Every structure is written in structure tokens, then in C-alpha cells.
Amino acid sequence: MLRLLCAVAALMGTVGFSPTRTHLCVFIPISGRSKKDAALSLAALESWAREELQQAAGLPPAYSQPLLPATDESEAPRTPLEPYTLHVPGDLEVDYKRLPVRILKIWHFLGQFDHCDWIMKADSDTYVNLRAVADRLSCFDGREEHFLGVVHAIVPPRHLREMWAALYFGHGGSGYVVSRGLLPKVANCAPACLEDMLEMTRGDAMEDVIFALCLQRQLQIEVQSYGFLRPAATSSDVVEHFAAQEFVVNFHQARDELLDEERRPGEPLKRFQHWDAQPPALHGCLLVAHPVENETDLLKVHALVERDALAQHLRLNDPWFYGREEKAPVELLQGLRAGRARCALSPMVLAKQAEVRLSAPGDRAPKAFWSPDQLSSFYTCLVEAAGPPRRCDWHPVFEQYFGLSFWPVARTPEDCAEACCRSGDACSLFQFHEEEGCWLGRREESQAIESEKRWYGGVKI
């Protein structure tokens, strides 16, 4: 018997959404033999997956029955999680090392249904900011084929790198996502992948790597990012690089600092060089944190994320609340949904992030963090969420500048100027050339150079 904790959320008005569909479905494979799984799953239902957050997302609660019909007729022990549990036929209770067996069976089973625009696989120790993830996924069309996640790489041994390239995969603990458009193909190829995996490893493998390998070999589909995680950040990096991050992938290392109750709002985290990654402070636009290994911490993480989301919302809508968040009505902490525009990424932020390339020993070529199609989707999402841009006045410039970031979405000087305007204080200079495209940045951080080409641009007045 396979037990799945099913959490659902809907987002009205998103691409491809219909009243009979669910925007985002999250499943968590748990073991009936694990008290830790049970405790963390119940904590999730009390925090990030609770009914109020679904209601705030625009859908009546869907916890009264399993998300999908249960077809396993075997009798299961009654537990508090039973109302949220989905039983998959043919499942065997296996240890964590053989989780790929269960995961491939789940995806094969889920492919029989067409209820969700997006399906996310997470672990019991994964914190999911349900509304932020749902908002971000609404920037993409679920009818298209998408495999999204927190991109990691596995590197073959040195003597095999000429034969095998490094494999990029969506980290399982941080959650990976499959779109409605890709799900039927995933379901169809899962049995073949399961057979191959059992022959090669007897089931003893990393499930996230096996899943990515399955999609790459069978479907020629590779994982793409859906949120920003700065690779190989060190404590000497600029603070804004930490703030722009949307994942915490090493909560177990940074726990004490992330949950430090004495740290003031906005005060930088105390950081250590030995950490595997340098996480952001917990903030309202955080997408995922992992691994949160006990239920008390999971509740604390959720409270801090929600409180920051509330603080940002109040500052945007009523300056009186700035610094007085404790005076906010308690009900605002229960299911607040501040809206997509608050967490939408600006063109300037995206242009800088798009300069990042992921690389690993043995890979064929560096992997771009964002694809051009993703940048276009994000910008469309920002425009729809934020509405018309504010007015910006420009002092014209015709020189070429170094130190700017490329923005491939803009096709005209007007588009380029609007992108800079929508980026607020982060962008004070734009320039455009028919062949070279649009470039954005700050005038004080750039340098004019001599060029035979004539550029059209402007500095904000």
C-alpha cells in the first residue's frame, strides 16, 4: 500500500485554468512505518497545506475525500491521515533507498487522471509555500510540456566522463513539478523506466536522478528552473544575491540562524563558509525550504514566511503598519494572499539571473538558468499582475555602455524602456540596438565606450 498525502490548491484566472480543474496538486510519498513521516505530514496540514490557504487561493477545500479515486481494495489501518491518503494499486512498502520503485509507480498511476494543471512531488520534510508556488506556476502554460525543479547535477566518475555527461535533475527533497501537458507521456514511459532501473540497480538508487534520467532518455525532456537559486554562493557575495533567492536547500545546516528569534526583521543572517549553500532569510516569496526535519520547525518556518508576507502586504497597502506588524489583525495571518505582483520578478532581476550558467564536470555545455521562453513567460506574468507601468521620464543617450544586462524579451526601444521602468530603482539606464537588442542596468554601475554603432537609450530623470 502506498500512502500519499495529497495537498491541493487552485489559482483562479491562470493560464489554462477551468472551474473543474485544480491548478496545483502536491503529493508526498510517506511510509506507514515512519512516525516521522506521519508527524511531518500532520504538521503540513496544520501549516502550508491547511484548508484556509486553499480557500484563500480561490477553491473550496478538497480535503473531504482523496484527491483521486482510491482503487486499492486492501484494508488499511485507520490513521488521522487516512482522509488525505491515496492508495496506489500494486504498491509495496519499501525502504527509502528503493523509493524510485514507488515514485515511478505513482507517476504511472497519476497519468490515468486529468484533474491537475500541475503535479508536484515533495517529501515529508519539504516546506512548500503553496501560494507562492501556485503563483509562479501560473506564469507557464500547463498544457505545454514542462519539467520544473530546483536544478542539481550528478557527475560521473572522472574515467567515465567521456562516455557519460553530467546529468541535471530536479532535487526531489526540494520538490519537482510536471505539467498536465507532459503527464501522459511521463505515465506511459514510467513502466519501461522502472524495468530498466530494476535491471541496473535493483531499485537501490536516487529517485530524483532516476526520474530525470527517465525523462531525458525516453522523452528528451530536461529539467528547467522555476525559481532562483544562486549556485556556489559564498558569504562574501553581495546581500542582494541572497535576497533574490527563492529556495532554501540546506535548512538542516542553517536552521539556527534561519529561526533565530533575536534577529531583527531585515537584519542579515549570520553565515558560515562550511554551508553547502548560502540561503536567503525566510521571506514571504520563498518557494520551498528543505529539509525541515521535525514538525515544530515546520510550523515555525510557515509562521515566519506568512508573517513576512503579511508585513510586505501591509507596507504596500498601508504605511501605518510598517514596523507594527504585531498590531495587524490576527485573521490576516490565516490565509493571507497578497497577490501575484508582490512576488513577480522584474525584468532587471531576471536579466541578471539569466546571466547565470550552471556547469558541472563532464557536462556537454553550461546550462542557462533561464531560457528565453521562460523570460518571456515571466514578463507576461508581471504585466498581467502589475497592470500598466508607472510613468518614467528619460534623458536620451546614444553611446554604448558596458556593465549592463541583456533583456531578450524587448523587441523595440519602447519595449526596452518599459522594461527598465517596470524594474524600479534597480534600473536607471536602458539602451537598444536593432542587432544587439535591449540592455538594462544602473547608470552609476556602467561605463560609456566608443562605438561605431548608434544606440538609442535613456537615463531616468
Side-chain angles (χ1 to χ4, degrees):
M1 178 188 68
L2 179 66
R3 303 171 59 81
L4 297 177
L5 170 64
C6 297
V8 301
L11 187 65
M12 303 299 290
T14 61
V15 176
F17 181 84
S18 70
T20 59
R21 301 188 57 78
T22 299
H23 177 60
L24 171 63
C25 305
V26 183
F27 74 82
I28 303 175
I30 59 177
S31 170
R33 299 181 300 196
S34 172
K35 293 182 179 180
K36 176 182 175 181
D37 279 357
L40 285 169
S41 299
L42 288 173
L45 290 170
E46 296 174 11
S47 56
W48 63 263
R50 72 177 188 270
E51 291 186 9
E52 292 93 328
L53 295 184
Q54 296 184 60
Q55 292 174 326
L59 183 74
Y63 286 131
S64 59
Q65 58 185 4
L67 175 62
L68 303 173
T71 57
D72 188 348
E73 297 179 357
S74 62
E75 290 296 326
R78 303 300 297 179
T79 71
L81 292 176
E82 192 63 28
Y84 321 105
T85 299
L86 173 67
H87 306 288
V88 175
D91 172 56
L92 296 174
E93 185 79 59
V94 297
D95 56 24
Y96 186 79
K97 291 192 301 181
R98 291 173 174 77
L99 184 59
V101 176
R102 312 185 78 178
I103 294 300
L104 289 171
K105 287 187 176 183
I106 295 172
W107 285 111
H108 178 61
F109 180 73
L110 293 178
Q112 303 175 45
F113 306 92
D114 187 28
H115 299 331
C116 310
D117 289 331
W118 300 91
I119 297 183
M120 181 180 193
K121 179 267 170 188
D123 284 348
S124 60
D125 57 358
T126 307
Y127 172 77
V128 181
N129 189 353
L130 204 58
R131 293 165 302 182
V133 171
D135 283 351
R136 179 58 52 82
L137 293 176
S138 73
C139 295
F140 306 107
D141 190 340
R143 296 167 295 187
E144 298 175 351
E145 295 180 356
H146 294 285
F147 171 33
L148 306 173
V150 181
V151 180
H152 286 47
I154 185 169
V155 180
R158 186 180 299 274
H159 66 284
L160 295 177
R161 289 176 190 171
E162 292 185 3
M163 298 174 53
W164 299 93
L167 174 71
Y168 292 101
F169 63 96
H171 184 236
S174 301
Y176 52 80
V177 189
V178 169
S179 66
R180 167 194 177 193
L182 182 59
L183 180 62
K185 291 185 177 181
V186 173
N188 288 337
C189 72
C193 292
L194 176 59
E195 184 177 347
D196 289 345
M197 186 266 300
L198 288 174
E199 182 178 345
M200 291 187 297
T201 70
R202 297 184 179 181
D204 186 356
M206 296 184 288
E207 57 90 8
D208 43 12
V209 172
I210 291 296
F211 186 73
L213 186 63
C214 174
L215 269 59
Q216 183 193 72
R217 289 185 172 180
Q218 297 286 337
L219 305 175
Q220 292 72 55
I221 295 288
E222 294 191 358
V223 66
Q224 297 289 331
S225 303
Y226 71 99
F228 188 66
L229 174 67
R230 181 174 174 80
T234 66
S235 59
S236 61
D237 281 325
V238 181
V239 173
E240 69 183 52
H241 293 157
F242 300 131
Q245 294 193 102
E246 298 173 297
F247 300 104
V248 174
V249 296
N250 60 328
F251 182 86
H252 59 303
Q253 291 178 325
R255 175 202 176 274
D256 292 345
E257 283 66 38
L258 290 169
L259 298 183
D260 183 4
E261 297 180 356
E262 297 183 1
R263 186 171 58 83
R264 299 177 182 177
E267 182 179 346
L269 289 178
K270 183 180 179 181
R271 300 181 178 278
F272 298 91
Q273 292 282 1
H274 69 272
W275 288 352
D276 295 334
Q278 295 293 332
L282 299 176
H283 58 84
C285 294
L286 186 77
L287 297 174
V288 169
H290 177 265
V292 187
E293 296 176 319
N294 67 70
E295 58 272 29
T296 302
D297 284 353
L298 194 68
L299 296 173
K300 288 181 179 179
V301 169
H302 180 70
L304 290 171
V305 170
E306 287 287 279
R307 188 168 294 276
D308 185 73
L310 171 65
Q312 291 188 44
H313 178 71
L314 294 177
R315 287 196 292 270
L316 287 172
N317 292 276
D318 189 348
W320 182 86
F321 277 110
Y322 184 80
R324 306 177 181 176
E325 287 79 11
E326 72 281 355
K327 298 182 180 294
V330 174
E331 57 269 18
L332 288 180
L333 292 173
Q334 310 297 322
L336 169 71
R337 186 169 186 276
R340 289 166 59 191
R342 180 177 56 80
C343 292
L345 303 172
S346 75
M348 188 70 254
V349 169
L350 287 168
K352 286 187 175 182
Q353 293 178 357
E355 296 171 349
V356 175
R357 295 292 186 271
L358 305 175
S359 63
D363 62 358
R364 299 289 185 252
K367 182 181 181 66
F369 199 93
W370 297 125
S371 71
D373 287 344
Q374 285 181 306
L375 294 175
S376 180
S377 296
F378 283 141
Y379 189 60
T380 299
C381 200
L382 169 65
V383 171
E384 292 178 352
R390 67 179 186 178
R391 175 183 172 85
C392 292
D393 295 319
W394 306 95
H395 175 74
V397 294
F398 302 101
E399 303 94 341
Q400 182 180 1
Y401 284 81
F402 274 0
L404 306 181
S405 297
F406 180 53
W407 178 241
V409 178
R411 303 298 183 187
T412 66
E414 292 76 19
D415 292 344
C416 193
E418 180 178 321
C420 187
C421 192
R422 286 186 180 275
S423 298
D425 294 339
C427 182
S428 60
L429 168 66
F430 80 92
Q431 61 174 186
F432 183 87
H433 187 274
E434 289 186 0
E435 297 176 357
E436 304 294 338
C438 173
W439 296 77
L440 308 175
R442 294 180 60 82
R443 173 63 184 88
E444 55 271 31
E445 298 173 0
S446 58
Q447 181 179 359
I449 63 169
E450 293 185 4
S451 175
E452 295 180 357
K453 297 179 179 179
R454 182 172 175 81
W455 293 72
Y456 176 81
V459 176
K460 279 182 183 176
I461 301 176

